[in-house]
Amino acid sequence: MTTTYLAGQYDVIVVGAGHAGVEAGLASARMGAETLVLTINLDAIAFMPCNPSVGGPAKGVVVREIDALGGEMGRNIDKTHIQMRMLNTGKGPAVRALRAQADKFDYQHEMKRTLENTEHLTVRQGMVERLIVVDGVCKGVITNTNAEYRAKSVVLTTGTYLRGKIIIGELSYQSGPNNMQASVELSDHLKELGFDIVRFKTGTPPRVNGKTIDYSKTEIQPGDDEPRAFSYETTTFITEQIPCWLTYTSPETHDIINSNLSRSPMYSGMIEGTGPRYCPSIEDKIVRFNDKPRHQLFLEPEGKNTEEVYVQGLSTSLPEEIQRKILMSIPGLEASKMMRPGYAIEYDAIVPTQLWPTLETKKIKGLFTAGQINGTSGYEEAAGQGIMGGINAACKALGKEPVILDRSQAYIGVLIDDLVTKGTNEPYRLLTSRAEYRLLLRHDNADLRLTEIGHDLGLISEERYQAFKNKKAIIAEEKSRLASVMIKPTEDIQALLKERGAGALKESVTAEHFLKRPEMHYEDIAQITPPEQPLSAEAAEQVEIQIKYDGYIAKQLLQVEKMQRMESKKIPEDLDYFAINGLATEAKQKLSVVRPLSVGQASRVSGVNPSDISILLVYLEQGKLAKIAES
Amino acid sequence: MEYETIAAISTPMGEGAISIVRLSGSKAIDIADRLYRGKASLKDVKTHTIHYGKMIDPKTDETIEEVMVSVMRGPKTFTREDVVEINCHGGLVSVNRVLELVLEVGAVLAEPGEFTKRAFLNGRIDLSQAEAVMDLIRAKTDRAMNVAMGQMEGRLSRLIQSLRQTLLEIIAQVEVNIDYPEYDAEEMTNRMLKEKAGYVQNKIKDLLTTAKQGKILREGLSTVIIGRPNVGKSSLLNNLIHENKAIVTDIPGTTRDVIEEYVNIRGVPLKLIDTAGIRETEDIVERMGVERSRQVLNKADLILLLLNYNEELQPEDIQLFEAIQGMDAIIVVNKTDLERKISLDKVRTLAGQSKVITTSLLKEEGIDELEEAVRDLFFEQGIESQDMTYVSNSRHISLLNQASHAIGDAISSIDDGMPVDMAQIDIRRTWEILGEIIGDTVSDSLIDQLFSQFCLGK
């Protein structure tokens, strides 16, 4: 082994500068920890190798949560998108979600500039090959250029770079995303250190030149007219938007794919990694859902200054030749010129049950992992873990208490709890249905849920915090006002009700009660009985949602209370489950792997049933009694 | 205190002289007090005292049972929590009803071994007993599971599984609309959702009502004796009561002086209702008209229609036949000790499906036949009462009731014009509760359903 040189000393080192890495680095530096971000390629900071988009159901809420904690993703996309849409507007507030199409190049440049201009943050190109581990504690990293960097904690965010392999038809080669250099040594090193590694797979569709698309054969998908933003800080809005377009596969597309399945690496056995069910390749969709006559394809521009268009829905690893034929079979794309082929990519990830809920590894103290390395997929999932990994790595380095979000506080909490408690056998994607308290984890109230935490950590500016407190006070004040103001059954009121198709008012009711009618909205109330100062749109929205869905919210809060009781019963990290006689064998094994920190977490481990939990409770109490007896 | 208040019947099930419903937890006294009527509120009584009073149904103010209630405040109790024991004077019927009421007003049904577990968790049992407690939990849970599994194999289990599948498909469709709003899946509208939820609700209701066998054993069959004056209704009543050494629940003090009497006829518990009313108002049909009396009679599970052997069929008799059309009835032609003037052929024609029995209550003849007819009517489908294990049974019923409430909440959300995803909260809850019945609560199956039902991708 060649000798290394000491290249620097930091509090926190973040390996990787994708969506997880940048959030980890920024959070850590903003908390005051001297932070180094190392990336294989400085031009790939916050790179979007797949969809040029941010947000969507569940994911969009994660972006809001990151923003409420003081993270960057929301602010960055607000500055660099080409269109934004609020999804699920016809449904309840719990499932509304914002999605933006990004200018993928602007997004990267803007994020790089933010990193470069952040105090306590150093960004450097370099490929990490080994960790410095002394007595089970991570002390730093060593790069392929023999640079040795020392730190109190290290966050690995290796994405699809970790022993990445691209597959296109019969061709396969070692590579990170979009032909970047893969990181091979580090994966072997992690195995040496004793980590369980799994192999996952994902994929991306071909891109075509937009000038060669006949959009007249497609349907336009414009952004919202109303200005939208992810960040609670954003005050200037991008008004000029670029539309997306919708087209479909044709019967010919299906024929081409069916007759070339033998050349698909998915079916020839060339791919060993497990792919996600929720983003199957087009060949997978056609095989598994062969009764579906056509599949949607969204044409998404990759930016303002490029003609490249992403064909969403056409992820594939078929040979390039076949990909071109497929494109020509699609209405609007008959004459299109493919600019890059789609590909499948395999990569290494660690089994996430090897992590504590802080994202620190159980095996090596001071080592954290975040993003795709933990078995997830998606920029938002990566960023959500990134910020938590960065926060906890910095907390560790600075001697502060770690921060764990629970399942009722944030989608990020659901995501991390799922990963470290249940593990995952395919790339994990957040879905709103994974959250049992969906109604509490809304897009609109992310600030109310998390700003305090962000502020306590020093990630939220004083100015923003004051604005937040002010908003909170206004909401509370208006809610109490509406609870006392009466609305009388006047002619005007009855006329309004009739106009909305609602039943007439029989007697005077409080404004609060009136607002609970499905046909009524806060703006109606504000007209009937205006507040002293008009409310901001966000405050008004809060008042309306909190009042309208009060009963449902109360029900969920009751469930949360139950959960938190179990959550507050702590389990020692080193509990020997095999010494607990009553536990079923399966429970002993599963609990020994996961080593849950609370009885609540233990109850979510698969294979652990309620009687095991009872026995665990009894056992824990026995331990307490023993301590009392000794003292 | 941090646990929910639990309740269960703490005496062995059967015909013991006294059955005890035991409550433990911070709300035990409060819950018992909401059902209790006595000299003083249970909240004000001294600890470790016992009180005479009545249990009432707070919804109807109906008296359920005369009871002795022990109030024991923690920590000097078995569980170290507040404990209330309601002593009922026997019989499945009343003790079950008291348990049901207690569960309705806020207690939760205790899991097997839970009182002991709490005793331990609250430090009541010393260290050396800890292992034994864990063994007990394991053993009791396994036994309860075995019993539950035994019941679950077969029709009920299949029914619940198919209901859950229906719910899962609904949920998956709503979820796909939410998580993939642009995907070209059929949009689940409120109307469709209501239709499907209504289907599930009906099925759950069916399950609850077709658990008639369970209900027979738990509550007794409400039985009404009708007939013209002087056909022998009182004699029949007295005969049934005395012959069978019945538990008589005399409930004075209620407004209408109703008497409910329980008799056990060859394993079929009958609850003879409103018998005082029958005694007084001999001619129910004449007084109320056929339609009204049908409504009244419809609430009964069994009707005993008495006719006079010694008289020809009267117009009033015919009216009675009309009134009981389609109901479970047994026709009793009494007074065979006298000369026959009635046409039994006519009676049989009018009786249709109902069995016709001839008796002389005076000479105590024909009573065996009548009792056999009662048993055959309700046990002919081969009900095996030993299969109705009490613990799991009441657990199932309690869960089915919860499921029924949850799906009802979902439907009223839809009716209130709430968005689909709000109703979804309760639909999902229904699915989870039904899962508890069959011991399947793995929520990952939703994700599986989502991706097998819909073709989603990037």
Side-chain angles (χ1 to χ4, degrees), chain A residues 261-271 281 283-288:
Chain A
L261 277 180
S262 59
R263 297 188 66 189
S264 158
M266 287 298 295
Y267 294 90
S268 66
M270 225 167 115
I271 289 181
S281 59
E283 48 268 34
D284 224 9
K285 290 192 236 180
I286 281 166
V287 171
R288 282 177 48 211

Side-chain angles (χ1 to χ4, degrees), chain A residues 78-98:
Chain A
D78 284 351
K79 287 184 262 184
T80 60
H81 64 273
I82 57 167
Q83 79 155 243
M84 262 203 217
R85 286 178 67 188
M86 185 66 89
L87 304 173
N88 287 336
T89 46
K91 302 191 180 79
V95 297
R96 270 170 225 157
L98 198 53

Side-chain angles (χ1 to χ4, degrees), chain A residues 85 92 277 280 296 438 552, chain B residues 175 182 413 421 426 448 456:
Chain A
R85 286 178 67 188
R277 277 172 303 174
Q296 291 169 313
R438 182 157 76 187
Y552 296 87
Chain B
E175 295 298 339
E182 287 160 336
S413 294
D421 51 289
D426 288 310
D448 294 340
L456 308 163

Side-chain angles (χ1 to χ4, degrees), chain B residues 5-209:
Chain B
T5 296
I6 49 169
I9 296 170
S10 65
T11 39
M13 291 313 296
E15 294 298 312
I18 286 178
S19 301
I20 298 173
V21 174
R22 178 189 283 159
L23 289 98
S24 176
S26 54
K27 292 192 181 127
I29 296 173
D30 184 50
I31 288 169
D33 193 55
R34 288 174 63 183
L35 306 172
Y36 174 81
R37 292 291 177 276
K39 270 191 191 157
S41 160
L42 295 176
K43 290 180 188 167
D44 303 330
V45 302
K46 278 190 195 158
T47 186
H48 293 76
T49 52
I50 190 159
H51 306 273
Y52 167 79
K54 289 179 186 129
M55 285 283 126
I56 57 113
D57 182 341
K59 277 186 298 214
T60 59
D61 258 352
E62 177 196 359
T63 302
I64 303 304
E65 173 74 322
E66 263 178 84
V67 291
M68 299 293 286
V69 181
S70 317
V71 175
M72 290 159 279
R73 292 176 209 276
K76 283 188 178 173
T77 63
F78 176 62
T79 58
R80 291 214 163 166
E81 300 171 333
D82 288 353
V83 168
V84 172
E85 289 184 350
I86 304 169
N87 297 258
C88 308
H89 51 68
L92 278 173
V93 181
S94 53
V95 73
N96 274 324
R97 188 76 189 100
V98 170
L99 178 63
E100 273 170 24
L101 282 174
V102 160
L103 298 180
E104 259 170 47
V105 298
V108 294
L109 192 65
E111 295 291 327
E114 201 172 355
F115 286 102
T116 317
K117 183 178 100 189
R118 287 211 180 172
F120 180 82
L121 291 181
N122 292 318
R124 172 69 169 70
I125 298 176
D126 69 29
L127 254 174
S128 60
Q129 287 171 278
E131 293 281 305
V133 173
M134 287 192 276
D135 286 348
L136 181 81
I137 292 171
R138 169 60 63 200
K140 283 204 177 183
T141 312
D142 287 350
R143 192 163 64 230
M145 272 315 249
N146 288 342
V147 169
M149 288 323 281
Q151 286 192 355
M152 291 327 296
E153 281 170 22
R155 201 170 142 265
L156 182 59
S157 165
R158 281 199 299 276
L159 253 167
I160 288 187
Q161 272 163 7
S162 99
L163 277 185
R164 290 193 86 220
Q165 185 57 33
T166 308
L167 286 168
L168 198 58
E169 282 164 20
I170 303 174
I171 296 166
Q173 191 164 355
V174 175
E175 295 298 339
V176 82
N177 294 157
I178 291 169
D179 273 324
Y180 297 86
E182 287 160 336
Y183 173 70
D184 49 357
E186 188 183 7
E187 186 80 17
M188 179 68 91
T189 60
N190 271 337
R191 203 178 52 79
M192 279 161 63
L193 190 62
K194 187 176 172 180
E195 204 172 285
K196 295 193 174 190
Y199 166 81
V200 173
Q201 187 183 38
N202 283 337
K203 287 283 172 189
I204 294 174
K205 275 189 185 154
D206 284 354
L207 265 180
L208 276 166
T209 46

Side-chain angles (χ1 to χ4, degrees), chain A residues 158-164 183 186-187 190 199 347-349 373:
Chain A
T158 53
T160 54
Y161 289 80
L162 201 59
R163 220 154 64 85
S183 166
L186 183 58
S187 178
L190 287 172
R199 197 127 175 97
Y347 56 98
D348 283 351
I373 189 173

